[in-house]
Amino acid sequence: MSAMADTIIPADELSPSGTDCGVVVYIDRQLAGAYGAGAKMYRSGPYQRGKPEQGYQLALTPRDYFAVGIAATNDWSRKTFGKDFDRLSVVERATALKAMEEGKASSSISRPPVFSTGCSRS
């Protein structure tokens, strides 16, 4: 998550990076708590394809959703660049995030289709 946060929110002369701002700690704490477990989400199905404006419509908890998305991101990154996402250069990470946002990144791991869009627009 640090590599993604620091790519989306890079440090510059005026501000710290996403990691230095606590973005990764915040996400980790949210996923470790009730939100991550899907405590206030309806998860009993049936699960039908929703409209984009309806938001999240999957059986996965937010914690599982992130875990599957991270695994899929690393799977695609290894196939495309030969290494995990966090090992990519800054330019490669930006290229990877752009490909994910545009729906051009595919993985052999079944992942929620909106994962990368949700992350890259955060």
Side-chain angles (χ1 to χ4, degrees):
M1 286 301 301
S2 295
M4 189 171 288
D6 291 346
T7 303
I8 296 168
I9 308 169
D12 62 21
E13 63 280 348
L14 299 175
S15 60
S17 68
T19 300
D20 292 337
C21 288
V23 170
V24 177
V25 172
Y26 176 81
I27 292 170
D28 188 52
R29 288 181 181 168
Q30 290 298 308
L31 294 177
Y35 170 77
K40 293 186 176 186
M41 297 175 71
Y42 176 78
R43 297 186 325 132
S44 297
Y47 300 100
Q48 299 175 4
R49 188 179 237 19
K51 296 178 182 178
E53 60 269 14
Q54 292 175 310
Y56 183 79
Q57 299 286 316
L58 299 173
L60 298 174
T61 65
R63 183 181 309 131
D64 294 338
Y65 186 66
F66 267 72
V68 170
I70 290 168
T73 297
N74 280 326
D75 180 63
W76 178 81
S77 181
R78 281 189 298 272
K79 289 177 182 173
T80 305
F81 298 101
K83 49 193 166 187
D84 284 346
F85 183 84
D86 65 331
R87 302 289 183 214
L88 300 177
S89 70
V90 175
V91 172
E92 289 171 326
R93 288 194 313 251
T95 300
L97 287 175
K98 184 75 170 162
M100 286 184 259
E101 182 177 25
E102 294 173 349
K104 295 178 181 175
S106 62
S107 170
S108 60
I109 296 173
S110 177
R111 70 179 169 124
V114 295
F115 177 79
S116 59
T117 302
C119 279
S120 64
R121 294 185 185 191
S122 299

